Amino acid sequence: MTGILSRLTAVTIAIGLGLGGPTNSQAAGRIERETYRHCDTGILFPSDLGGLARASMNIQDPSKCFLHGIRYLVPGLRGSATIRISPGGGERCIARFAKEDERMRAVWWHREPRLNGEPLRLLGSDVQQHTARYTDGENIGGRHQRPETNLTLWVGCIGPGRGETATWVVRYESDFEAADEAKVADLPQKLFAAIDWSPIAAK
């Protein structure tokens, strides 16, 4: 899967993301960035990515790997970006994406679909990829007042037929205030380029 492998470079994380802000707090003098391993695939995720700080994930003891998703915050901005990896079970990718989209609409019932924006291409040409975007309008008054936010859902499938059927499903979701959209416009591309996806790359 040359489309994925050509974009892999962990050493350029700090330069490439260029989001600024403090990194995740670490012991003084520490050189190597702590990494977290996805249990089923072995894919490694750094604890911080050039300004992105790991927020949370489900750790599986005693192997210290995480089961499902890993979430990153952009210091200074309200919102987060989450990557989840799960077995595809041979399901058709378009059907899996439809389920994820339906789930988003059911859980976040107050969000409206957004038709603007180009589809994301986060992995190589051997991966079937689908994108959906939503807007959550401003809540006026009350304890839960918050500004308008924009959410992005991306689903990529790795498997036979260039991902038409899924051996692995990679799911990306981000949720940031609409006013900050320009600041995180290239966040998903740079985040995915900083991770070595070769453990699940198509052979």
Side-chain angles (χ1 to χ4, degrees):
M1 179 182 259
T2 57
I4 294 177
L5 299 179
S6 63
R7 300 174 59 188
L8 305 176
T9 167
V11 297
T12 60
I13 290 172
I15 298 174
L17 284 170
L19 294 172
T23 58
N24 202 27
S25 60
Q26 297 184 28
R30 187 170 187 171
I31 298 175
E32 291 189 3
R33 188 176 281 114
E34 188 173 12
T35 59
Y36 297 88
R37 182 174 60 87
H38 181 252
C39 297
D40 293 334
T41 65
I43 291 176
L44 298 176
F45 292 81
S47 61
D48 65 275
L49 293 172
L52 278 178
R54 181 190 61 79
S56 64
M57 61 190 174
N58 187 348
I59 295 292
Q60 171 70 32
D61 288 325
S63 59
K64 301 301 182 183
C65 58
F66 69 94
L67 288 171
H68 303 299
I70 183 166
R71 184 164 66 100
Y72 290 98
L73 303 177
V74 179
L77 299 184
R78 181 180 298 176
S80 63
T82 303
I83 298 177
R84 300 180 186 276
I85 308 171
S86 59
E91 186 176 14
R92 292 187 65 232
C93 191
I94 189 64
R96 180 60 174 264
F97 172 71
K99 289 179 181 178
E100 297 293 344
D101 180 45
E102 182 179 5
R103 183 179 295 114
M104 292 291 290
R105 294 168 186 260
V107 174
W108 305 103
W109 53 269
H110 50 286
R111 297 182 188 267
E112 297 292 334
R114 295 173 62 203
L115 301 179
N116 60 320
E118 295 294 323
L120 294 177
R121 301 294 300 175
L122 300 182
L123 294 177
S125 59
D126 293 331
V127 179
Q128 190 170 135
Q129 307 175 54
H130 302 278
T131 307
R133 292 182 172 88
Y134 319 85
T135 293
D136 190 2
E138 185 174 3
N139 185 359
I140 305 299
R143 295 182 57 188
H144 305 294
Q145 181 176 356
R146 43 117 178 85
E148 181 179 80
T149 60
N150 289 333
L151 182 142
T152 298
L153 169 68
W154 173 89
V155 173
C157 300
I158 300 171
R162 292 180 176 269
E164 182 177 351
T165 57
T167 302
W168 292 103
V169 174
V170 183
R171 184 184 188 277
Y172 170 84
E173 177 185 332
S174 66
D175 193 355
F176 292 97
E177 293 183 8
D180 294 326
E181 189 167 35
K183 299 176 183 177
V184 294
D186 58 355
L187 171 62
Q189 291 86 353
K190 290 181 176 179
L191 179 57
F192 272 67
I195 297 167
D196 182 358
W197 297 97
S198 58
I200 58 174
K203 305 301 183 183

